[in-house]
Structure formats: C-alpha cells, structure tokens
Amino acid sequence: MPPSLPLVKGTLDLLILRALAWQPMHGFEIASWLEERSSGALDVDDSALYQGLYRLEGRELIAAEWGITENGRRARYYKVTARGKAHLKQETATWVRYTETVTGILTGPTEA
Amino acid sequence: MSFSIRPHIRRAFRLALRRRDLTQTDTDEELRSHLAFRIAQLEARGLTHEEADREARRRFGDSWEDAMNRVHDAARSRDDRMAMRERLDAWWSDVAYAGRSLRRQPFFTVIVVATFALGIGANATMFAVIDRLLLRPPPEVGNPRTLLEVSRLMTRGGVTNHFTVMPYPLYTALRADSTAFRDVAASSFITAQSIGTGANAQPVQVVLASSNYFRVLETRPALGRLFGPSEDGEAPSSDVAVLSDGFWRRGFDGDTTILGKTIRIGPRDFTVIGVTRPGFTGVDPLNVDVWLPLSYAPVFGMVRDGWTNWGQVWLGLVTRLQSGVTPDVAARRTLKWLTDGEAAWDAKPRGMRRMPDAPFEMRSTLPSAQLADDPQAKLARLLVGVTAVVLLIACANVGSLLFARGTERRREVAVRLALGVSRGRLLRLLFAETAILAACGGLLALVLARWGVALLHATLLSDFAWTESAFDGRVVAATATLVVLTVVIAGVAPAFRASRPDLVESLKSGGREGGIGVSRLRTLLMTAQVALCVVLIVGAGLFVQSLRRAATVPLGYEPTGVLTASVMNLVPLGYKIPQRLALYASLRDRIATLPGVAGAAVAATYPVQGMFRFAVDIAVPGRDSLPPSPDGFVPTYNAVSGGYFSALGIRITDGRPIIDSDVSTATRVAVVSDAIARAYWPGERAIGRCLVLNADSVCTTVVGVAADVKQAIDGTSAGFVVYVPLRSEWDLGPNAVIVRARNGRAEELIPAVRRAIQGTAPNLPYANVQPFDALLAPQLRTWKTGSSLFTLFGGLALVIAAIGLYSAISYTVAQRRHEFGVRVALGARMPDVVRLVMDQGIQAAVIGTIVGAVAAASLGGVVAPHLFQTSPREPAAFALAAVVIVVVAALASVVPAWRASRVDPVTALRAD
C-alpha cells in the first residue's frame, strides 16, 4: 500500500458533498466511500470527517436525519441540500480550474 | 426515542430550539453507531473484538479524548450557528407578520404613523436647531476648547451680563503679557459698509481683524492666504481683504481667479488675498462677508481719538493661554492691566462710566457658553421642553390606540396562547408592530424635520450663518434614538397587557366588550393628552399676548409708517459735517416732494439706534448739582431739523418743537424731554429756562418739552434727552433722514426713496433705507419666535390629541354597538345616544382641562422670564385653552356620536 496522502485544506468538505451527491449516507458510509474511492490513499481521520459534517450542517449545505440501516441499526443520515448542490458545483469547477492551472505550470517544459 | 425535527418544520411551528444536553447525547449516539459499524467491519476482516475496538478508536486520531473534544466542539458551533440563523429567521418572520397585519388595518396604521411622524418630527427639528445653536463648536475653528474670549461681568439692576467689547490698549497690553497669554487676537464687531457706488452700491458685513486673528483661531484658507505679519501694525498700509466663502460665492460666483482683484469698500480699494473655508464666521455664528486689517479702523471711523483710547470699547478679544495658566489667573491679570491702563490714561472723557470692580472672565467660545445669556437661546431650550410634551402626547395617543388594538385582538392572542405559543414570542410579535410603526414614523419625521429646519432657519433664525444644512447624520441619529424611546414609552405597556388576556373569558365572550381596565386606561391617557395640550395652548396664549403687548407698547413715538434712510460710509469718504449737512438737506428736500411722503426730517440720531447716542454735559446756572436720570444713564442729545417730532410722531407736551428757522438762524434754543423737565423743574414750566450745554459760554433757552421716548421696548422711557437744532456748531453731524409715509405703509416708499437718494449726488455709497418696524423687529423677536413656535407646536399637539380623542371614541362606539342597538330597540331616541357618546369626550376634555390648567399654572415660573407685561397666570390664556379644548373635543366626538345614533338595532343585535 502506498503511503497515504495528507488532505489539502478545504478538500474534505468537497469530498463529503460529492459522496452525499451520490445518495444520502451516514457517517461511517461516507468514511468507507472515501476509503474505497481513494483506494485508501487519502488520510482522513474519522474525527476530521465528523467535524467536516457538522461544519457543513451548520452552513446548511447538508441536512441530517436519524434513520434505520438495512441491518436495523439507528444511524444519522446526511443528504445534500439545494444550497449544498450549488456549492458543490461551483467549488468543483474552481477546484478543477485551479488544479489544471497548477498542474500545467508544474509539468510544463522548464526553460533553459 | 429521540427524534429530530427539520429546522424549517421547527420554525413553521415556532418550536423551541434544541437544547445543549440533547445535542451532546445526539452526537454521542452518532459516534457510538459509527464505532459499532467500524468494529463490525474490522471483525469481518478477522480482528478480535478488542483489536477491532482499539483500531476503530485509533482511526479517530491519536488521542481519543482530543478527538472527542474536537468533534463535540464542531457540533456545538454547528448548533450555535443554526440557532442564530433560526433566531434571525424568527425575527424576520415576526417583522413580516407584523407588516402583514398592519397592512390589513390601513386606518390604524396611517394614524399611528402620522402621530409618530408629527411627534418625532417636531423633536428632530428642535434638536437640529439646538444642535446648531448650542451644541457645536464654531465651525472651522481649530481647538475651540482652548480658545477663550475676554469678557467682563457687569452687574446692573441685579442682572449680570457678559460684556465682550474691549478698548484697543487692553489688546496691546494683553498681547505683550506673554507670561499669561500665548496669543491674543482682536476683531471689531460686524459693521455694514458699502461696496460699490451709485445704483450698484451694496452693503457688506465687515469685520476688522488683527493680523494674528486667523492664526489664533487656527483656521485655514480655502483659497490664497489669510492675514499675516504684513498686516501687522497700527498704520493702514496693507490694502488687503479676506472674503468669506458665502460672499465669494454670492458676490463673485465663486470666481477662482479672484485673488489679486480689488474691491472698493468705502473710500479704498482692497486686494483680495484669500477666501475662508465654508462655514467659518469667526467665533460668533453671524454672517460675515469681508475681513479687513484692524489698522483700517480709523479709516472707517471706528477709532476715535487715536489708538490709546481706553474709554472706547469696540473690540472682541480671543486668546489662547500659556500652558499652566488658569483662566482665573488670566482674568485677574486682565483686570489689573485695565485698571493700570485707565489710571495712567490722562484723557478721560466726560461722562465715562466706570465699574472698577467688575471682574473679567475668560469665557469659552463654545456656543453653550456664548449664548448662555441670549434670550433666543434660552427660549430655544424652553421649546425643547415643548416638543418633548408634543412627543409625550403622541406616545399617549399611540399607546391608547395600541391598548384598543390589543383588546380587539384578544381572541387572536388567546388562540395563539392556547396553541402553545410562548408569551415572550407573542410579546416580540406585538412589539415588532410598534417598532415598524415607529420606524415608518421616524422616516417620515426626517422628511418633516428637514423641511421644518429649513423653515425655521429662513423665518426666525435668518441672521445665523449656517452654510451647510443643520440637517445631517447627528439629526438622523437623534431621530433614531427618539424612535427607540417612543417604542419603549408607547409600546411596552400595551404589548404586556395584550399578551396576557384572560384565556377562557376571551374565547367565550367573542371579544365584544372592551375590558373595563383597558377602557379606564384609555380614558386616563385621553385625559393626559388633553391636559398636556392645555399646557401648550396656555403657553401659546401667553406668548401671543406678550407679542401683542410688546408690539403695541407706547414708545413715545409712532414707529409704524416711518422710514429711516442713511447713506453709509460718508465719514470714511471724507465728508465733513458741513458737507454732510448740505447733502442731507438736499436729500430731505428731494424725499419730501415724493408722492406718498407726509413729512421728512434730518437727525443726528433717532430712538432704537443704539450705535449713536451722544452724551451731553448739562448745567443750569445757579444750581450746583442736578438730579441724575432715573434710568442710570448720562443725558444724551440729538440734533434735529424742523419736522423731526412730527415725522416720528413725538408729542410736544409744552411749548413748541424745533423748527427749520431755528436751524437757519443762529438762535440758541433746545427742546428737552419730559423726564428732564420733571426732574429739573418739578411742578414748574421748563419753557424759557437756561441750559448750559457742554461747558458752553452762553445760555441755550428751552422752548419746548417733548414726550419721553423709549430706546428699547422693554426699557424705561425716563431718559434725559436734549434736542438742539441741527447746526455745525454742535459737533453732531446728520446721520439719517426720517420719513413719514402718508398711508402708513413705509415699505412701499423704499424704492422711491432709494432712487431719490442716488439721484441727489453721483456715486453715493449704499443707502440703508429701512422701515422703523424692521429696526424694532429684533427686540420683538423673542416673543415672535415664542408665539409662532408655541402656536405651531400647540396646534400640532392639538391635532394629535384630536386624532386620539376621535379614534378612542370611535372605538368605544364600535365596542358598544350591541349596547346601542339594545338601547335603540328599547326606545332610546337619537339625541339620547348622541349625548351618551359625546359625554365621554366632553368629560375627558373637562377633566383634562382642569388638570392641565393646574399644571400650566404651576409651570408659570418657567415661562415668566420670557413674557412681556404678561402674567403667566393671565386668565385670558387659560380661558382660550379651555374653549379650544372643549370645541375640539366636541368636534372629535360628533362624528362617532352621529354614527352611534345610526345603529340599526336589528343588524347590531344579529351580528353576534
């Protein structure tokens, strides 16, 4: 397993929103989803994940509701609000443009 | 089982926010469930339960406790944030709800907003004026707190006043005293001078200022430079002028190339070197057009007998003291300089009055100190009280309307309470309504105040220089404060009352009868409004009475229909007395032939003209001493042509007046005032007596006695005056033509008189032609301001109270519809019902009038100093107030009464 990558500041919120854009999930599901998607390359503390969730909830980008899982456990389910969707769309565009630009510069030809 | 409610649902039902301990358990449960999932996942991968548990916790971070703290913190800040947002939402929804419910009742809303607007508007207006007059330091003066004015406390007849005119040698003495005074600047008082000649001549307000004047005041120019060392000295060498911003804009259209151009003032051309910044007027808030160097004082005839004259007081002195020197020390030193200077001065004039012990005071130049003695400023303070009363009436009115509204809404409130809405929340809702009403009223009040300030400035305060409007951020802030204040005064009690209805009772009775408590409260508020109105109307009546008495007080002459015409600047232009006599003689001849002129005369001075009072020494052969004048002043004399007494309407009580042949022949005759005749020859005739005037060698024979003349409306008429024929030997030059209009309307003659003057000789300076009434106007101003504003605010209060009365009675009628229906059904006739309703209004009016009259009588001492020959308990004012109130109350109740009498018993009884 390659060494895990530290998270760039601010990206966790985006990743959570992306995960929830898929479908409503509870905290553990989101954690598993992130591990799966990044093949374990992203280093996210579970405490950081919950802080992120509460931060997003406070900004009303996501909303929470208690529900029952498939195997009958109570869990707090999160879903993206309309504001959250708009935020995700906008921030994703910014992120893409940002990384493209930085990548372009970093991988471009070096001048003599 | 705990369940979570979505925020918007919670908002919709106005449910309580989540509690902190609930949040804690919520989060704990969420984390427990997370750990369970993780442990299950890890166990599935083959870890033992203990290993899985340890790993699951490790994934939260290196220290479990730290991790938990971080997560709980995040949860808490989330909750705070959501709570705040919910509170804002709730707030906004309250406001929106209140707004909607107000829109449903436009009549109520309009009345309350209008009441607030009038009440707050009146107060905002007075605040703006007071702020300008009394609260702000003089504009464009640097460090106004350390700038002091040299003043002397003179006590006469038990009244102490600040005298601020000083002799020139005192200025040089203080300036040299660098131990106490860091710097001292001098300026003359404002005088009108003529700029230009002939038909284009204009008057300008000129101040002569020492070379360091602008430096001491720490003001900077807007253009060019101000006076400096080159303007120093006592010889008029530097022909320069500084213009005020106002004059530069008005007279020169703000010409930026004005520097270096010359303007002709009196006999000289002055080069403009600078323009002051907008608003700068020196220490006094009065209009100034031009500043000229102090060294030009002799040119304008303002310095008599040289610069060493301790007897002539004509300069205002301002100073900055050395650090560590207290104003008291400086004041004592100043008195010593004055005493020493006067003692060493050998040319003391005759009749110079001394008050050797009168102490000096280094007085603040802030308006609060400057205007401490000013009757207008004192009156302004009284009027602040008046507007406060208007606001109280408005608050009582609104409060009463809100009580009524609370009663109407008892059902709604009861339903809400029954549904579990908290009382605090309900209070907030009711309060939001009052706040919205007051805020709208406040906005409207700003519009009213803006207009009111402009009106007051234009009418009653026109000689105060306000370059920028008095209406600004401070007024807005004051208005906002007033809005909050009125919400609290008018809104608190009704809101509390409305939020506490008797639940069961309200739901049962269908809210038909107004609670007895509320109706008693409303009656009380109505009575209070009436009482406050009575106080204001009595005040208005007293001021109107004062004005009427002051305007018609016997002065010893008839000012109405008289004009005075003076050509300015003749002395600085080099006219000697014989030339002035010739000029004024031909002016008089030309003016006398104008159509509409009943008579014209020339005089050295005339009543009210305080600037020119000429002292005279009187001796009577054979008498060692003569009784002094009862008014405490030295005798004065006046030189007049024939026709003077008839032109001014001064009665000759004995003998004959001065006639033109007295002027042309060299007979030594005089007319004396009645006061002299009574004092010198009590019980005997004065005619034929011999007077020796000014240590003359020959007798001047008394040929007539003239009625006493008042110099001031509120002054005494017992002055000693001697009238002599206008001839060069008396050293009194002519200064004015006195013109009497045939039809009594002096102002109609002004253009013709001015044309006649300019046609007499080419290139004459500006001629000051004014009706005598205008000269007296400043003396009437206090009573005029008082009566106009008291009447205005009293009228305003009356309107507000009438609205209050009307709406209160209408409300009662609506509430008692059922009862009236029953009465009519049982045979009551229309007049019975009308009387029933009218009684309510009249009763409030009568009780209010009695209470108000008692209050007004006990407040008499407050207004007494502002009145003229009018007792604060003048019965006429009280009678007027009573009549006005009863008439207004009757008018306010007549419409609701009529409506009550038209109640159809069938509809009224069927309604419920």
Side-chain angles (χ1 to χ4, degrees):
Chain A
M1 204 162 98
S4 58
L5 300 167
L7 214 53
V8 177
K9 204 170 156 42
T11 49
L12 179 59
D13 289 6
L14 278 184
L15 293 173
I16 293 172
L17 284 173
R18 182 70 192 87
L20 294 176
W22 186 249
Q23 63 175 50
M25 292 187 221
H26 55 75
F28 180 72
E29 279 178 324
I30 300 171
S32 311
W33 187 88
L34 284 177
E35 282 159 25
E36 232 167 77
R37 281 298 167 110
S38 69
S39 317
L42 286 177
D43 178 21
V44 182
D45 269 355
D46 286 343
S47 60
L49 173 74
Y50 279 97
Q51 287 176 62
L53 282 170
Y54 295 158
R55 191 163 54 235
L56 289 170
E57 198 187 354
R59 293 171 65 193
E60 291 194 355
L61 297 176
I62 60 175
E65 201 175 0
W66 284 98
I68 306 293
T69 65
E70 286 160 20
N71 35 15
R73 284 202 71 95
R74 261 169 58 78
R76 204 157 180 256
Y77 279 91
Y78 293 91
K79 65 171 189 185
V80 189
T81 62
R83 275 179 65 186
K85 278 181 192 133
H87 184 78
L88 175 64
K89 201 172 153 194
Q90 192 197 330
E91 290 302 301
T92 307
T94 311
W95 174 259
V96 169
R97 236 184 52 218
Y98 173 76
T99 47
E100 274 174 5
T101 311
V102 174
T103 312
I105 294 167
L106 293 179
T107 61
T110 46
E111 284 172 65
Chain B
M1 195 180 100
S2 85
F3 65 98
S4 107
I5 301 174
R6 295 184 200 188
H8 64 273
I9 304 284
R10 198 179 308 131
R11 257 171 254 158
F13 285 97
R14 319 230 171 279
L15 295 174
L17 297 170
R18 285 191 296 185
R19 291 205 332 266
R20 200 135 265 164
D21 49 344
L22 270 181
T23 310
Q24 177 88 24
T25 36
D26 234 27
T27 310
D28 284 341
E29 188 182 352
E30 183 172 17
L31 295 175
R32 261 201 310 281
S33 121
H34 179 99
L35 284 179
F37 284 125
R38 181 68 85 193
I39 290 168
Q41 182 198 43
L42 293 171
E43 278 176 346
R45 289 186 194 162
L47 272 68
T48 66
H49 185 76
E50 285 70 31
E51 285 168 336
D53 185 72
R54 209 176 314 122
E55 175 59 13
R57 283 167 192 272
R58 194 200 57 77
R59 295 228 181 163
F60 267 85
D62 296 334
S63 151
W64 171 250
E65 259 179 29
D66 286 356
M68 283 307 99
N69 281 340
R70 282 199 304 275
V71 171
H72 280 299
D73 280 352
R76 258 196 299 280
S77 77
R78 168 198 65 189
D79 291 334
D80 288 347
R81 219 182 143 124
M82 291 171 88
M84 170 66 79
R85 185 169 300 127
E86 283 190 30
R87 223 169 292 145
L88 279 176
D89 280 357
W91 218 83
W92 174 243
S93 80
D94 283 355
V95 170
Y97 177 82
R100 276 197 306 277
S101 83
L102 289 176
R103 238 192 352 243
R104 277 199 300 272
Q105 290 203 298
F107 179 72
F108 167 82
T109 307
V110 165
I111 285 198
V112 173
V113 168
T115 307
F116 272 139
L118 292 176
I120 298 173
N123 281 270
T125 305
M126 270 328 280
F127 171 82
V129 170
I130 289 283
D131 186 38
R132 266 294 142 166
L133 274 180
L134 297 176
L135 304 181
R136 291 193 203 195
E140 297 297 334
V141 170
N143 298 314
R145 269 161 219 293
T146 61
L147 185 70
L148 301 176
E149 183 180 41
V150 179
S151 74
R152 203 164 179 208
L153 297 172
M154 300 284 211
T155 306
R156 184 187 299 230
V159 181
T160 301
N161 276 306
H162 289 82
F163 275 73
T164 55
V165 278
M166 304 292 152
Y168 181 82
L170 183 64
Y171 165 56
T172 48
L174 297 188
R175 222 181 147 179
D177 179 7
S178 57
T179 323
F181 300 94
R182 183 145 56 86
D183 218 341
V184 186
S187 61
S188 75
F189 275 57
I190 300 167
T191 57
Q193 304 287 346
S194 170
I195 182 170
T197 57
N200 297 323
Q202 292 292 325
V204 285
Q205 306 298 321
V206 173
V207 166
L208 302 172
S210 61
S211 60
N212 61 348
Y213 178 73
F214 296 102
R215 194 183 71 221
V216 172
L217 263 61
E218 295 179 22
T219 190
R220 285 173 298 131
L223 215 61
R225 70 170 180 92
L226 305 174
F227 295 160
S230 49
E231 280 72 51
D232 216 350
E234 291 168 0
S237 53
S238 182
D239 282 350
V240 296
V242 169
L243 308 186
S244 74
D245 176 79
F247 183 52
W248 174 59
R249 287 178 198 282
R250 182 160 39 83
F252 303 93
D253 297 325
D255 176 9
T256 48
T257 65
I258 186 84
L259 300 182
K261 292 190 178 162
T262 60
I263 52 172
R264 189 167 190 85
I265 298 174
R268 299 258 196 154
D269 285 329
F270 292 88
T271 307
V272 176
I273 55 164
V275 176
T276 60
R277 292 162 70 89
F280 178 80
T281 61
V283 171
D284 299 310
L286 303 173
N287 285 306
V288 180
D289 296 324
V290 181
W291 285 270
L292 298 178
L294 189 60
S295 52
Y296 283 86
V299 174
F300 289 99
M302 295 173 86
V303 171
R304 297 193 303 270
D305 314 325
W307 292 104
T308 53
N309 189 337
W310 281 90
Q312 188 201 350
V313 289
W314 61 290
L315 286 174
L317 305 184
V318 285
T319 178
R320 308 259 185 200
L321 300 181
Q322 294 287 11
S323 58
V325 176
T326 65
D328 285 344
V329 169
R332 278 197 296 277
R333 287 180 78 95
T334 308
L335 181 59
K336 185 161 176 4
W337 284 116
L338 183 87
T339 321
D340 293 355
E342 283 183 347
W345 183 46
D346 42 16
K348 288 180 201 67
R350 56 175 189 262
M352 183 170 154
R353 285 176 61 88
R354 290 283 168 81
M355 293 197 176
D357 301 327
F360 277 87
E361 183 186 310
M362 296 294 141
R363 185 162 69 147
S364 162
T365 51
L366 298 177
S368 46
Q370 289 283 306
L371 293 172
D373 312 332
D374 184 78
Q376 291 279 106
K378 282 184 191 155
L379 182 63
R381 270 182 234 129
L382 178 66
L383 287 168
V384 170
V386 168
T387 52
V389 171
V390 174
L391 192 62
L392 271 185
I393 293 175
C395 284
N397 193 353
V398 171
S400 142
L401 284 166
L402 288 172
F403 275 127
R405 192 169 155 77
T407 313
E408 271 167 19
R409 294 168 81 182
R410 285 194 312 170
R411 242 184 137 159
E412 178 198 336
V413 168
V415 168
R416 278 170 181 279
L417 285 175
L419 285 178
V421 175
S422 79
R423 187 148 168 258
R425 171 137 190 90
L426 206 57
L427 268 178
R428 208 161 63 208
L429 214 63
L430 295 167
F431 227 63
E433 259 184 40
T434 315
I436 290 179
L437 291 167
C440 291
L443 283 179
L444 210 58
L446 283 178
V447 178
L448 286 179
R450 176 161 215 147
W451 178 78
V453 169
L455 184 78
L456 281 189
H457 189 197
T459 52
L460 299 169
L461 304 162
S462 53
D463 44 354
F464 284 95
W466 299 341
T467 43
E468 69 268 43
S469 163
F471 187 88
D472 58 10
R474 287 164 66 104
V475 179
V476 176
T479 308
T481 314
L482 285 169
V483 166
V484 173
L485 204 70
T486 47
V487 170
V488 172
I489 297 177
V492 169
F496 268 94
R497 167 124 209 151
S499 71
R500 197 170 35 193
D502 179 350
L503 264 183
V504 183
E505 238 359 84
S506 303
L507 289 174
K508 245 189 346 210
S509 78
R512 191 169 57 228
E513 283 92 36
I516 293 300
V518 165
S519 94
R520 204 174 289 147
L521 252 171
R522 292 204 70 187
T523 310
L524 193 72
L525 285 173
M526 223 153 70
T527 314
Q529 284 183 56
V530 170
L532 291 171
C533 271
V534 167
V535 172
L536 295 192
I537 297 170
V538 167
L542 293 175
F543 271 95
V544 169
Q545 184 72 284
S546 292
L547 177 64
R548 229 179 42 205
R549 293 209 172 124
T552 57
V553 72
L555 294 165
Y557 59 96
E558 299 295 332
T560 304
V562 177
L563 274 184
T564 66
S566 306
V567 181
M568 285 181 174
N569 292 102
L570 288 179
V571 176
L573 284 171
Y575 281 76
K576 300 287 176 229
I577 287 181
Q579 291 159 287
R580 277 158 67 196
L581 283 170
L583 175 67
Y584 271 99
S586 49
L587 289 180
R588 178 188 173 202
D589 290 346
R590 284 182 85 107
I591 291 170
T593 58
L594 289 175
V597 171
V602 181
T605 182
Y606 45 84
V608 182
Q609 183 49 284
M611 278 259 289
F612 300 107
R613 294 183 71 184
F614 306 102
V616 65
D617 269 356
I618 308 178
V620 173
R623 298 239 203 135
D624 295 336
S625 69
L626 291 167
S629 166
D631 70 352
F633 286 97
V634 295
T636 61
Y637 69 150
N638 188 5
V640 300
S641 74
Y644 174 82
F645 295 98
S646 58
L648 265 179
I650 301 174
R651 205 160 43 85
I652 297 297
T653 57
D654 196 6
R656 65 169 179 84
I658 303 279
I659 52 175
D660 281 325
S661 61
D662 294 331
V663 177
S664 53
T665 65
T667 49
R668 290 259 177 176
V669 294
V671 169
V672 294
S673 68
D674 208 30
I676 290 188
R678 274 197 316 272
Y680 289 3
W681 304 286
E684 298 171 50
R685 279 193 83 188
I687 307 300
R689 307 278 179 173
C690 166
L691 295 177
V692 175
L693 302 178
N694 288 349
D696 210 345
S697 52
V698 286
C699 257
T700 299
T701 312
V702 176
V703 294
V705 178
D708 288 325
V709 160
K710 276 191 180 184
Q711 290 291 336
I713 286 174
D714 55 357
T716 70
S717 57
F720 281 6
V721 185
V722 180
Y723 301 89
V724 295
L726 183 62
R727 276 201 313 263
S728 52
E729 80 222 37
W730 291 112
D731 203 28
L732 282 184
N735 285 305
V737 184
I738 314 288
V739 186
R740 176 162 288 278
R742 201 177 289 282
N743 64 1
R745 286 198 287 276
E747 53 287 343
E748 290 173 4
L749 286 175
I750 293 175
V753 167
R754 189 164 277 146
R755 268 196 307 277
I757 291 172
Q758 294 301 346
T760 308
N763 297 329
L764 280 179
Y766 184 76
N768 205 357
V769 183
Q770 4 182 19
F772 220 100
D773 287 335
L775 294 172
L776 287 167
Q779 298 191 21
L780 291 172
R781 210 167 56 174
T782 310
W783 305 299
K784 202 164 207 160
T785 312
S787 58
S788 331
L789 290 186
F790 254 101
T791 308
L792 179 73
F793 291 136
L796 210 61
L798 204 57
V799 168
I800 295 174
I803 294 173
L805 218 56
Y806 169 80
S807 64
I809 295 169
S810 301
Y811 173 80
T812 323
V813 168
Q815 289 283 307
R816 291 166 70 184
R817 246 171 78 86
H818 189 85
E819 178 202 327
F820 290 137
V822 172
R823 280 173 189 270
V824 171
L826 290 178
R829 283 164 311 124
M830 183 167 158
D832 301 328
V833 177
V834 169
R835 199 176 317 120
L836 210 59
V837 176
M838 298 273 292
D839 274 356
Q840 190 196 357
I842 303 290
Q843 203 182 340
V846 168
I847 297 174
T849 305
I850 293 168
V851 173
V854 171
S858 61
L859 284 171
V862 181
V863 285
H866 301 281
L867 302 177
F868 180 79
Q869 294 183 358
T870 302
S871 153
R873 302 202 171 155
E874 183 93 7
F878 285 77
L880 170 87
V883 169
V884 167
I885 286 291
V886 170
V887 167
V888 167
L891 285 178
S893 16
V894 93
V895 172
W898 179 76
R899 215 181 284 146
S901 72
R902 308 259 304 174
V903 166
D904 173 12
V906 181
T907 346
L909 294 175
R910 209 183 269 156
D912 291 295

